Amino acid sequence: MYLSAAEYEALASLPAATIGKTRHGLGDLVVDVFHGPLAGLLLAEAEFYAEADCTSFQPPPSVVAEVTGDARFRGGRLAVCTPADVAAAALVDYGVELSR
């Protein structure tokens, strides 16, 4: 949804959980690089307009998990979780090893 400057200011003044990320275009994907407490988390998203494009899509080898149906990776949930929540409750389920 696109907002005018006045609409943004009105919404930004309301109390809310926030999340910081930068979105980058990368071929067929957009990649969200998270800031703040979730720094280090990257999520890629692909959008398709035809079923054939969706079924033929092959993610790059660097993609480690498909999380489309996992509510723990939706923006509203990520805005209120901690890094420990992501590591313990979500990444472990996908066999991802965290490097620190």
Side-chain angles (χ1 to χ4, degrees), residues 30-89:
V30 292
V31 177
D32 292 335
V33 178
F34 290 82
H35 309 283
L38 297 180
L41 178 64
L42 288 88
L43 294 178
E45 178 181 321
E47 186 171 308
F48 305 101
Y49 298 100
E51 182 69 26
D53 294 335
C54 179
T55 56
S56 66
F57 176 73
Q58 293 295 315
S62 57
V63 171
V64 297
E66 167 60 66
V67 298
T68 300
D70 191 329
R72 296 172 293 186
F73 287 97
R74 294 190 183 132
R77 175 70 182 113
L78 289 173
V80 297
C81 73
T82 67
D85 293 336
V86 173

